Amino acid sequence: MDESLAQGLYNRMSRDIHCRVTSRIDAISTKPRGRMRRNPWMKNRLAELKRIYREQLLFTETHGNKKHAVSCLFILQMHSHQRAQLCCVEVHALDYSVEYHPICLYINHHAMARVIQVAGKLDGDTLRQYYQQMLYTAINVLSHDSLTLHSTVYIATSEGLSIWTIDEYDCGKGAGLTMRTFISKDVLNGNKMQCYQQLIALPAEQRYLITESRE
């Protein structure tokens, strides 16, 4: 599969998802809570959001309990002809609210096309297979107190090695990550293969290497 075909698949899936998700999110955002109690409301809202974001949903986390519970759905927001972005949809039990928070983790068009080329297809299972572990690790990188702009970040997964740069964004702490490309483990060689072998042996949240820019 060449890159133009891979990008075409991404653009088509992005358009289809955007049309469906936008209309359904608008519908639930105005839906009244009625007399539903907190726990059933949380379960119903989470189930509904998981159905809406089914292709884009990578993983979920829950913090707190009972009325202080907050469930977080991490989704890959896809935009036709543009970079993808990781976002978090938070469901709060305390005030029966749903909040949407973009995260400064981006995947450019070329990097997305490279993953599709390696996978040979694009669907929800493919997105989770290639990005679930990768973006979980990237969130850990982003949590650093200080990140040096223009540095390169290597993140290893069971499928291969992704290469990112630390860029400046208007996202609170001023720095974010952009995935530039992806290399399948089957074609890695030289220093990149050595880097991959060292990283893949570590726990998932530690499978990254930051090399500072020499500029």
Side-chain angles (χ1 to χ4, degrees):
M1 182 188 300
D2 62 27
E3 185 167 345
S4 61
L5 178 56
Q7 290 180 347
L9 288 174
Y10 170 73
N11 291 333
R12 184 177 66 184
M13 185 176 183
S14 301
R15 287 192 297 269
D16 292 344
I17 287 176
H18 178 75
C19 292
R20 176 177 54 78
V21 169
T22 300
S23 61
R24 296 185 65 183
I25 288 297
D26 288 344
I28 71 167
S29 64
T30 57
K31 182 185 295 184
R33 173 169 64 91
R35 301 174 64 86
M36 189 176 293
R37 296 175 63 86
R38 183 174 281 112
N39 191 48
W41 181 89
M42 281 285 288
K43 290 182 178 179
N44 289 348
R45 187 59 83 240
L46 282 170
E48 192 168 18
L49 288 168
K50 287 178 180 180
R51 286 194 297 270
I52 292 173
Y53 288 114
R54 59 181 182 272
E55 302 99 329
Q56 302 162 274
L57 180 60
L58 300 179
F59 55 93
T60 62
E61 292 182 353
T62 299
H63 310 281
N65 55 64
K66 297 184 178 179
K67 69 177 183 179
H68 298 292
V70 179
S71 291
C72 302
L73 288 74
F74 291 88
I75 64 168
L76 190 61
Q77 187 68 54
M78 300 162 63
H79 306 279
S80 179
H81 299 286
Q82 298 179 36
R83 63 191 178 190
Q85 181 178 13
L86 184 66
C87 299
C88 178
V89 180
E90 295 183 354
V91 184
H92 295 258
L94 184 62
D95 58 358
Y96 297 87
S97 66
V98 178
E99 299 178 2
Y100 179 89
H101 299 283
I103 300 173
C104 278
L105 293 175
Y106 301 91
I107 301 166
N108 71 19
H109 220 208
H110 169 73
M112 181 65 76
R114 289 292 298 122
V115 169
I116 298 170
Q117 286 179 286
V118 171
K121 59 181 179 178
L122 180 62
D123 53 30
D125 289 338
T126 302
L127 290 176
R128 280 181 285 276
Q129 177 185 349
Y130 281 82
Y131 289 112
Q132 185 179 66
Q133 178 187 335
M134 184 193 304
L135 291 174
Y136 175 78
T137 305
I139 289 174
N140 196 44
V141 176
L142 198 61
S143 68
H144 285 202
D145 291 334
S146 61
L147 294 172
T148 303
L149 294 178
H150 313 303
S151 296
T152 299
V153 181
Y154 298 90
I155 296 179
T157 70
S158 54
E159 281 72 37
L161 189 69
S162 59
I163 302 176
W164 304 66
T165 55
I166 300 173
D167 299 315
E168 187 171 9
Y169 293 109
D170 182 14
C171 59
K173 58 189 300 181
L177 297 178
T178 303
M179 180 177 164
R180 301 295 181 183
T181 193
F182 177 82
I183 307 173
S184 169
K185 65 180 180 181
D186 297 328
V187 298
L188 287 169
N189 54 51
N191 291 336
K192 288 186 174 60
M193 172 56 82
Q194 184 177 8
C195 174
Y196 177 79
Q197 290 174 334
Q198 293 173 345
L199 293 178
I200 201 65
L202 299 173
E205 64 273 12
Q206 300 176 22
R207 291 175 183 167
Y208 66 87
L209 173 67
I210 301 175
T211 60
E212 293 191 3
S213 170
R214 297 179 181 179
E215 298 180 0

